């Protein structure tokens, strides 16, 4: 065997060990090489993405002050497009200084140009506190373009004692980032001070750099890197009189200004006072005439209501007529008084049921056999309505409780006939309800027109008080219309007699003494009770017969009113009070759905 044989056997083993040992080293080296190759590719991708994003590479503005506070701005923008047709910028052109006043900045003479094919069509629109300037071109653009934007701004100068201050957010309001922003203020005079802020409007964060040139005639401002929506606001203190400009203010349209007092609204309010004064005068001429005639007739004692022991209502006036004459309304109580009057005059019998037996308080109205020849039209309608069943058939009697919910429609017919009657009597020239309705409707229409006018004026002008004056006038017209029905001289004369009649009933001066006097007292009480119902003095008038049943034999009941067992006239006041309340409620109650 050769001496080299063992070495030949060892060599493959050594080669294998070397390969195993070098494998991790080679693997790490390969990975490192891959990372080194990948790093340039990531940076390139990032740069490519950044290059494809629209942005402002550089925005340089020069502000030149002029007389009258006009600032001429020339702005050179290097814009990187990524398929857009143009760009837009937002300028803050209005700020709320107080509740009713705004400070405004006015942009004018907007124009754009481009030396390298950028967009040049310029337009602007204002909304609330900002003005947006749009610069557009043709098809979508790509790459870098230079656009020169020029405009004039007024209102950026503020007088501050013996100095002027120029303050304007000259760069910013972009919806894309700004890499480099620079501005120069060319004042044409010594600039006393400069300042610069970056960020949102009102920010106090200083810019990257701001200073004046060696001659102090220019302010120089710079900012690196601005986010979308941020501004570069330049400030320059100038000697007084440098531009002669001043801040511009406008009155802001708000609720406070909409209702302000000015010549128009003042004239409207003055007109309202005249209108209301005229309305008072008209009411005096109409209603005052009634009062004057009533007072004159009452003073003269014309047709005194009491003549010796005899008493008659004024000119034979019925209680329902008196009720309508007094307040110019045919009330439910006037209809109730008419029902009592029909009973007193022998057309109805009122029977009070025994509450202990029936378990409830009720009355029966029973028709008596008496010709209706002397009934007034409204009385005939009332009597027929009471004695007609809901199905249209006639009836001889009806319980008061049965009228509830079925008589309301017929009640309206009765009241209408009562209004016609007072006109027929010559007490009113026109139906009082129609007069009130016309005035009320007119007042409501005027009020609605005033509401519409107030809303419209408040939204568009400062004359809303004029509309409010119309609302007040309409409301006054609607309210005053309730007092517009006027009695004729004849109606006022009858009213004067009625006043004396009421005074007589309140005094209760009736015959007194023996049994005959008691019977006369009962007869007189019955005769005038319907009028007491109208005047709302039933308890007072009932005192005149409280003890008549003890003095006059057989006087426990009235010929037109029958009470239950053990009922006497001492209980009549309470019975009549509850009867009038129950009757008024029953005849006016509408049927529920």
């Amino acid at each position: 065997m050769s001496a080299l044989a063992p070495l030949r056997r060892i060599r493959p083993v050594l080669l294998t060990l070397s390969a195993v040992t070098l494998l991790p080293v080679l693997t790490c080296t390969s990975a490192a090489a891959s990372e080194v190759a990948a790093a340039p590719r990531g940076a390139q991708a990032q740069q490519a993405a950044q290059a494809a994003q629209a942005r402002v590479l550089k925005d340089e503005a020069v502000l030149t002050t002029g007389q009258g506070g006009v600032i001429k701005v020339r702005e050179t923008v290097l814009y990187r497009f990524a398929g857009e047709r143009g760009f837009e910028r937002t300028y803050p052109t209005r700020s709320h200084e107080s509740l009713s006043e705004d400070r405004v900045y006015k942009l004018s003479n907007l124009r754009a140009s481009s030396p390298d094919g950028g967009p040049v069509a310029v337009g602007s629109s204002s909304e609330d506190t900002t003005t947006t300037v749009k610069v557009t071109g043709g098809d979508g653009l790509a790459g870098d373009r230079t656009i020169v934007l020029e405009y004039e701004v007024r209102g950026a100068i503020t007088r501050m004692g013996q100095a002027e201050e120029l303050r304007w957010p000259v760069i910013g309001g972009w919806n894309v980032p700004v890499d480099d922003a620079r501005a120069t203020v060319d004042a044409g005079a010594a600039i006393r001070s400069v300042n610069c802020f970056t960020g949102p409007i009102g920010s106090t964060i200083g810019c990257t750099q701001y200073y004046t040139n060696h001659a102090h005639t220019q302010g120089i401002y710079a900012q690196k890197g601005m986010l979308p929506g941020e501004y570069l606001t330049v400030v320059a203190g100038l000697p007084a009189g440098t531009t002669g400009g001043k801040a511009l203010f406008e009155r802001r349209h708000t609720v406070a200004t909409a209702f302000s007092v000015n010549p128009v609204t003042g004239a409207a309010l003055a007109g309202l006072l005249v209108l209301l004064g005229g309305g008072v005068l008209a009411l005096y001429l109409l209603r005052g005439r009634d009062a004057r005639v009533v007072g004159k007739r009452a003073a003269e004692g014309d047709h005194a209501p009491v003549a010796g022991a005899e008493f008659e209502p004024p000119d034979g006036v019925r209680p329902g007529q008196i009720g309508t004459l007094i307040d110019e309304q045919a009330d439910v109580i006037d209809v109730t008084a008419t029902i009592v009057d029909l009973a007193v005059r022998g057309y109805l019998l009122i029977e009070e049921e025994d509450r202990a037996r029936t378990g409830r308080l009720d009355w029966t109205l029973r028709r008596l056999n008496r010709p209706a020849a002397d009934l007034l039209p409204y009385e005939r309608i009332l009597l027929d309505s009471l004695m007609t069943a809901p199905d249209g058939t006639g009836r001889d009697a009806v319980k008061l409780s049965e009228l509830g919910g079925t008589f309301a429609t017929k009640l309206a017919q009765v009241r209408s006939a009562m209004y016609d009657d007072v006109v027929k009597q010559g007490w009113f020239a026109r139906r009082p309800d129609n007069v009130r309705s016309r005035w009320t409707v007119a007042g409501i229409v005027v009020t609605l027109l005033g509401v519409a006018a107030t809303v419209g004026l408040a939204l568009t002008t400062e004359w809303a008080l004029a509309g409010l004056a119309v609302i007040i006038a309409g409301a006054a017209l609607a309210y005053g219309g309730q007092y517009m029905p006027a009695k004729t001289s004849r109606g006022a004369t009858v009213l004067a007699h009625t006043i004396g009649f009421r005074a007589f009933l309140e005094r209760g001066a009736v015959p007194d003494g023996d049994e005959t006097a008691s019977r006369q007292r009962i007869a007189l009480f019955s005769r005038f009770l319907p009028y007491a119902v109208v005047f709302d003095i039933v308890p007072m008038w009932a005192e005149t017969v409280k003890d008549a049943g003890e003095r006059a034999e057989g006087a426990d009941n009235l010929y037109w009113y029958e009470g239950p067992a053990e009922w006497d006239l001492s209980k009549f006041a309470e019975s009549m009070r509850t009867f009038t309340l129950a009757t008024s409620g029953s005849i006016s109650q509408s049927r529920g759905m």
Side-chain angles (χ1 to χ4, degrees), residues 560-582:
W560 57 273
Y561 189 99
E562 292 185 359
E566 300 182 1
W567 181 93
D568 57 42
L569 291 180
S570 64
K571 303 175 183 177
F572 182 77
E574 179 61 20
S575 293
M576 184 52 56
R577 185 187 69 83
T578 54
F579 172 78
T580 55
L581 289 176

Side-chain angles (χ1 to χ4, degrees), residues 71-129:
I71 310 299
K72 295 182 178 180
V73 181
R74 179 183 175 88
E75 188 174 354
T76 303
V77 180
L78 179 58
Y79 196 99
R80 174 164 294 171
F81 290 92
E84 301 89 358
R85 294 186 55 204
F87 60 79
E88 64 181 40
R89 278 198 54 194
T90 302
Y91 296 85
T93 52
R94 182 179 294 269
S95 62
H96 300 325
E97 296 293 309
S98 66
L99 182 64
S100 60
E101 192 173 53
D102 287 347
R103 180 170 181 174
V104 296
Y105 304 86
K106 297 184 178 180
L107 301 183
S108 60
N109 297 330
L110 280 165
R111 56 191 181 275
S113 60
S114 176
D116 53 12
V120 295
V122 63
S124 63
S125 61
S126 296
E127 182 179 356
D128 195 17
T129 60

Side-chain angles (χ1 to χ4, degrees), residues 486-505:
K487 302 175 186 66
T488 62
S489 179
R490 181 176 180 180
T493 299
V494 175
L495 182 60
H497 299 164
T498 301
I499 293 175
F501 184 24
R502 176 171 181 165
F504 168 78
L505 295 181

Side-chain angles (χ1 to χ4, degrees), residues 317-327 329 331-341 378 418 498 501-502 505 528-538 580:
V317 178
R318 306 284 168 80
Q321 294 174 317
I322 285 182
T324 307
L325 177 66
I326 291 175
D327 59 5
Q329 296 191 57
D331 297 320
V332 175
I333 191 63
D334 301 333
V335 179
T336 300
T338 301
I339 293 175
V340 176
D341 186 51
Y378 76 88
M418 295 176 76
T498 301
F501 184 24
R502 176 171 181 165
L505 295 181
F528 296 146
L529 179 64
Y531 301 95
V533 173
V534 171
F535 296 138
D536 194 23
I537 55 172
V538 170
T580 55

Side-chain angles (χ1 to χ4, degrees), residues 47 51 56 226 571:
Q47 292 173 359
V56 176
M226 293 173 56
K571 303 175 183 177

Side-chain angles (χ1 to χ4, degrees), residues 549-562:
E550 300 174 358
R551 300 186 182 185
E553 183 179 355
D556 287 343
N557 285 290
L558 302 173
Y559 65 90
W560 57 273
Y561 189 99
E562 292 185 359

Side-chain angles (χ1 to χ4, degrees), residues 11 24 44 61 81 136 149 161 188-189 250 257 265 271 280 295 300 328 346 360 365 439 484 521 545 552:
R11 185 171 58 183
Q44 290 173 0
F81 290 92
T136 56
L149 182 63
E250 288 184 357
T257 58
T265 57
V280 172
E300 292 175 352
E328 298 152 355
R360 64 174 183 174
L365 304 179
W439 282 96
M484 285 304 177
R521 187 194 305 181
V545 293

